């Protein structure tokens, strides 16, 4: 049986491939296991910069980081002073989008599912404001409170009722970058979205995207991120589950929002 | 009381504005009345080319024409050989989008609400195929029949169930230009769209647009259209209701699809 795979960091213990030597630290698609046999090294990259936590290469310096970078800078076409809303804002991608938006000079508000996460958004990630969507019985009213002037950019991670409320609050020529719709993946049928007409009224663009279309930007992305991380201008929060055996619980917990920050499973320290 | 206004063609019978002389033929925003007093001539344009039916300036050579032109060429980013679907395809905008798509070398299928309209799409406007959506109990199955390889471009005029079915059939990097959602304007609540997740899977772009953003392209558009019309390479079908008194019925009929082609109300021949 094939093991479940995921985005992992690993040390090469044996290699028949001249590009990867014993002792090299790599990141990419690895198995959920202590030792992985990787026969297709195309999805594997050697880590050059080890002065940051290696787990960052599963997140802020890996595909989630590049997702936030490409999704915000390329898909959202942001401009200084614009109003940005991020859902699942304390997650691996959302926390970065909010920080990119602040670096760009935008006003940014995030939503998350607990007081702890909301506090983190404001105190640690520099969001201008944040709210707990579980405490809002009327999401449209909440968005009108946080964005009386409307939303220019919505970075979509959740879908469903949040998206439907956002559509009522988009400004003319607003953009919605659709990274994911985690609230909908396990719903059958999914929530019906009733406010799409507003994309005509406001000439709004909604665009789904995938990080796989932006891998050629990885080295530019790394050059941008590393100095910001070293200088503390971009911070990152991980939720580390210790031990391979904690993996299944950590995975399932994502769908009910148990994690605070990027969920990482620590298989081994060395 | 202000009269209802619409897109009309008129002859100047009196003028205090040096740009408009008695006898000039103009098109633009006029009242639903035999004589209009126009105090704001910003929305009024002098007709230079009178060798085509003057009513064309309310449609193919007016805002609906420019809507089809900008919507297709600018918003849809079409490429030769792509698969194009148009809803409300026999309407003022749809019939042009289909012909533009053929000029571009695309494969184009239209949907409409009667056999007469479907025949028109195939026999007169050169659509590769067409179907009557009222006869399809499963729109997703119908689209899979007409687009076994999927849809690259959807020119959206109707919204609702058609949009939901289209989302299941979009190809990777497909584009949906949202011109209107006529099936939804009088629904409360509107139909819920449940398949938006597919815009993530397929990296699909959905974009609402308004012709008002493209008025600076009008003279380029006219230079493109006039030779095509004169040479019969682009054709146009109007549904002419005779007499101002037929206006209300013609307007209401739009929402149940009574018209075949662009609905025009003929107030006076001179």
């Amino acid at each position: 049986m094939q093991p479940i795979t995921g985005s992992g960091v690993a040390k090469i213990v044996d290699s028949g491939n001249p590009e990867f030597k014993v002792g090299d630290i790599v990141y990419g698609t690895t198995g959920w296991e202590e030792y992985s046999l990787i026969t297709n090294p195309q999805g594997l990259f050697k880590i050059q910069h080890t002065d940051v936590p290696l787990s960052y290469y599963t997140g802020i310096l890996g595909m989630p980081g590049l997702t936030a970078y490409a999704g915000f800078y390329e898909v959202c076409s942001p401009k200084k002073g614009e109003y940005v809303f991020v859902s699942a804002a304390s997650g691996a991608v959302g926390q970065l989008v909010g920080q990119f938006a602040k670096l760009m000079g935008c006003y940014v508000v995030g939503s998350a599912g607990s007081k702890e996460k909301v506090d983190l958004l404001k105190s640690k990630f520099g969001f201008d404001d944040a709210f707990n969507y579980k405490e809002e019985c009327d999401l449209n009213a909440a968005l009108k409170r946080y964005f009386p002037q409307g939303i220019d950019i919505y970075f979509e991670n959740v879908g469903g009722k949040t998206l439907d409320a956002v559509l009522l609050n988009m400004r003319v020529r607003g953009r919605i970058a659709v990274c994911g719709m985690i609230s909908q993946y396990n719903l059958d049928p999914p929530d019906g979205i009733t406010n799409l007409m507003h994309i005509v009224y406001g000439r709004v663009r909604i665009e789904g995207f995938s990080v796989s279309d932006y891998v050629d930007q990885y080295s530019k992305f790394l050059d941008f991120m590393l100095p910001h991380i070293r200088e503390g201008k971009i911070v990152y929060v991980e939720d580390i589950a210790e031990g391979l055996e904690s993996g299944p619980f950590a995975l399932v917990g994502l769908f009910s929002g148990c994690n605070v920050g990027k969920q990482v499973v620590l298989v081994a320290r060395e």
Side-chain angles (χ1 to χ4, degrees), chain A:
Chain A
M1 210 176 88
Q2 291 290 317
I4 302 174
T5 59
S7 185
V9 169
K11 183 188 264 189
I12 306 285
V13 290
D14 195 9
S15 170
N17 185 313
E19 285 185 37
F20 299 99
K21 295 186 180 61
V22 172
D24 282 353
I25 309 286
V26 296
Y27 80 93
T29 303
T30 61
W32 284 49
E33 53 198 356
E34 292 182 293
Y35 294 89
S36 284
L37 175 66
I38 292 169
T39 52
N40 173 14
Q42 273 195 320
L44 217 57
F45 306 91
K46 195 170 159 179
I47 291 176
Q48 310 286 352
H49 306 275
T50 55
D51 60 331
V52 293
L54 291 178
S55 58
Y56 277 19
Y57 289 91
T58 68
I60 183 170
L61 294 177
M63 290 305 116
L66 185 58
T67 298
Y69 181 81
F72 183 68
Y73 290 109
E74 301 283 328
V75 184
C76 293
S77 314
K79 290 188 286 289
K80 185 178 172 179
E82 287 195 316
Y83 297 94
V84 177
F85 176 54
V86 186
S87 56
S90 69
V93 175
Q95 54 177 285
L96 288 176
V97 172
Q99 292 179 80
F100 292 153
K102 288 313 299 174
L103 288 174
M104 173 66 75
C106 297
Y107 180 84
V108 60
V109 176
S111 65
S114 73
K115 182 177 185 306
E116 182 184 5
K117 293 177 184 180
V118 166
D119 289 345
L120 202 60
L121 292 176
K122 293 194 278 192
S123 65
K124 180 123 184 153
F125 300 129
F127 282 63
D128 294 288
D129 218 327
F131 65 91
N132 180 350
Y133 71 89
K134 291 178 181 169
E135 291 180 353
E136 301 291 343
C137 52
D138 181 343
L139 283 170
N140 177 28
L143 290 171
K144 285 194 164 41
R145 202 163 67 235
Y146 290 101
F147 295 99
Q149 61 302 93
I151 298 168
D152 292 298
I153 290 173
Y154 171 45
F155 196 96
E156 165 69 300
N157 288 310
V158 301
K161 293 177 178 64
T162 302
L163 174 58
D164 222 10
V166 165
L167 286 167
L168 296 172
N169 290 280
M170 290 302 289
R171 301 185 87 188
V172 167
R173 294 188 163 279
R175 290 131 270 151
I176 298 176
V178 186
C179 177
M181 293 191 173
I182 198 166
S183 77
Q184 303 296 298
Y185 296 141
N186 297 325
L187 280 189
D188 186 20
D191 290 327
I193 302 297
T194 58
N195 295 320
L196 277 173
M197 273 187 292
H198 289 262
I199 72 173
V200 190
Y201 308 149
R203 294 101 93 189
V204 170
R205 167 162 60 86
I206 306 180
E207 192 161 350
F209 71 100
S210 164
V211 67
S212 60
D213 290 333
Y214 299 95
V215 283
D216 59 340
Q217 296 198 21
Y218 184 76
S219 64
K220 189 178 92 174
F221 158 75
L222 208 60
D223 290 345
F224 172 85
M225 293 298 283
L226 282 168
H228 279 90
I229 293 172
R230 288 175 184 137
E231 293 164 25
K233 288 180 178 163
I234 291 181
V235 296
Y236 197 59
V237 169
E238 297 174 319
D239 189 330
I240 295 178
E242 293 265 350
L244 183 56
E245 65 283 3
S246 68
F249 180 79
L251 175 62
V252 171
L254 283 175
F255 293 91
S256 48
C258 293
N259 58 308
V260 177
K262 162 68 178 175
Q263 181 67 63
V264 178
V265 177
L266 198 157
V267 178
R269 292 196 180 271
E270 172 60 10

